[in-house]
Amino acid sequence: MSVRVKIDFDKVYEFAEISPGFNLSSFNTRLEDGKIMPLKVKISNHAHALLPNVYNLAFGPLNKQGKIDDKAELTHSDYSKVFSTILFSAYAYLKQNPGHYLGIDGSDNTRAYFYYRALQRNFAYLDRHFNMFGIKYFVRITRFGKTQYDNPFDFQDIMPYHYKIGPGDEVSQNHMYNYFIFTLKPER
Amino acid sequence: MKEKLASRIEKLAKRASKSPVTAEVKTSGNSSLHQIIKTKQQADLFMKLLKEA
């Protein structure tokens, strides 16, 4: 995806629907072939037992089972407007739900890298509103095996670690974050 | 700018309160973060470090 996204909360699609608390919204995007496609933005409404303040944001069209398809490959006519709308809905949600953290999964490395590039290109704008973190997951090494066949990794012992995203930070696609977290910047 | 955004959000909140969405939308499941956090100790350490950042 070599698309340059420019985030601007003044240039967003009109919401077709929005729920109280802003957990669910939808808007219609225009695809490059002229087709109109409804997109849903859903913020989980159940907190994880162990991470009570972290809520996951998913977006995409609905599949035949009525689930958000976050792996759908769409060619939008205006990527800037699509991502501005999604991030504006995240901003509105955080304003309505102070103290919450919003997380976004990159469904694969390419998509996560695309999101990261978009964050970097719009860092000055987004930094006015959000603190942004990239999260990587690390697996514990038990000990190096005596032979090359011993597996030294304990995949039951994984630790997430956050990196505050700063302007111009370069992270290659192969070392891309697993997850992104947004919080609202405190009012000055 | 923030005042303008606040006013837009207020209008949206009013609209949302009048026309609640009824259709339930499912997602593909838990996030990757929620899948790898398995213990309270892991979660507490992660949140502590995140809040301090």
Side-chain angles (χ1 to χ4, degrees):
Chain A
M1 279 191 266
S2 59
V3 178
R4 294 188 78 89
V5 171
K6 186 176 189 310
I7 301 297
D8 184 346
F9 290 165
D10 287 328
K11 291 179 184 167
V12 299
Y13 284 110
E14 179 77 18
F15 288 108
E17 57 180 349
I18 188 150
S19 68
F22 299 166
N23 288 79
L24 178 64
S25 56
S26 70
F27 63 92
N28 293 322
T29 176
R30 182 180 290 277
L31 304 182
E32 212 166 62
D33 62 6
K35 198 175 156 193
I36 301 294
M37 172 73 74
L39 291 187
K40 300 275 183 188
V41 182
K42 164 99 188 249
I43 294 160
S44 55
N45 38 14
H46 300 294
H48 186 279
L50 298 172
L51 291 171
N53 295 324
V54 183
Y55 293 80
N56 197 55
L57 183 153
F59 60 89
L62 292 185
N63 64 15
K64 286 178 184 166
Q65 288 74 43
K67 281 185 180 175
I68 290 181
D69 181 3
D70 59 4
K71 292 182 175 66
E73 291 183 13
L74 302 175
T75 311
H76 302 282
S77 65
D78 190 340
Y79 282 85
S80 296
K81 207 167 174 178
V82 168
F83 285 97
S84 295
T85 311
I86 292 164
L87 284 169
F88 178 68
S89 69
Y91 176 77
Y93 172 86
L94 289 171
K95 277 286 186 190
Q96 291 290 92
N97 299 277
H100 285 202
Y101 295 74
L102 271 187
I104 300 178
D105 252 317
S107 55
D108 56 48
N109 239 18
T110 307
R111 207 166 285 220
Y113 187 61
F114 172 72
Y115 297 161
Y116 183 69
R117 294 288 302 271
L119 294 188
Q120 278 299 344
R121 285 195 183 117
N122 294 278
F123 186 85
Y125 187 88
L126 293 172
D127 186 54
R128 283 185 240 157
H129 305 293
F130 301 109
N131 284 318
M132 298 172 284
F133 299 92
I135 314 294
K136 285 187 181 181
Y137 306 146
F138 294 97
V139 178
R140 187 171 81 96
I141 293 179
T142 51
R143 49 191 44 81
F144 291 107
K146 290 186 178 122
T147 73
Q148 60 179 315
Y149 303 110
D150 290 340
N151 177 8
F153 302 109
D154 179 359
F155 288 103
Q156 296 306 309
D157 194 351
I158 305 174
M159 189 62 207
Y161 189 80
H162 65 278
Y163 297 83
K164 194 163 194 302
I165 296 175
D169 290 347
E170 285 188 21
V171 183
S172 72
Q173 187 166 338
N174 288 339
H175 296 94
M176 189 35 55
Y177 302 117
N178 298 94
Y179 196 66
F180 296 97
I181 286 185
F182 290 76
T183 64
L184 218 51
K185 225 160 199 179
E187 296 283 342
R188 287 176 197 164
Chain B
M1 183 195 182
K2 290 209 171 178
E3 289 76 16
K4 199 173 141 196
L5 286 174
S7 148
R8 280 171 61 196
I9 291 168
E10 202 177 313
K11 278 181 194 163
L12 269 181
K14 275 186 192 161
R15 183 185 147 193
S17 69
K18 285 177 191 163
S19 57
V21 177
T22 50
E24 180 59 26
V25 171
K26 291 175 185 164
T27 54
S28 52
N30 277 337
S31 73
S32 60
L33 180 66
H34 289 93
Q35 285 174 54
I36 67 151
I37 296 268
K38 290 200 166 69
T39 67
K40 188 170 182 313
Q41 187 189 19
Q42 250 185 325
D44 289 349
L45 178 59
F46 176 70
M47 288 312 293
K48 179 179 178 289
L49 295 172
L50 189 62
K51 282 175 186 167
E52 286 171 359

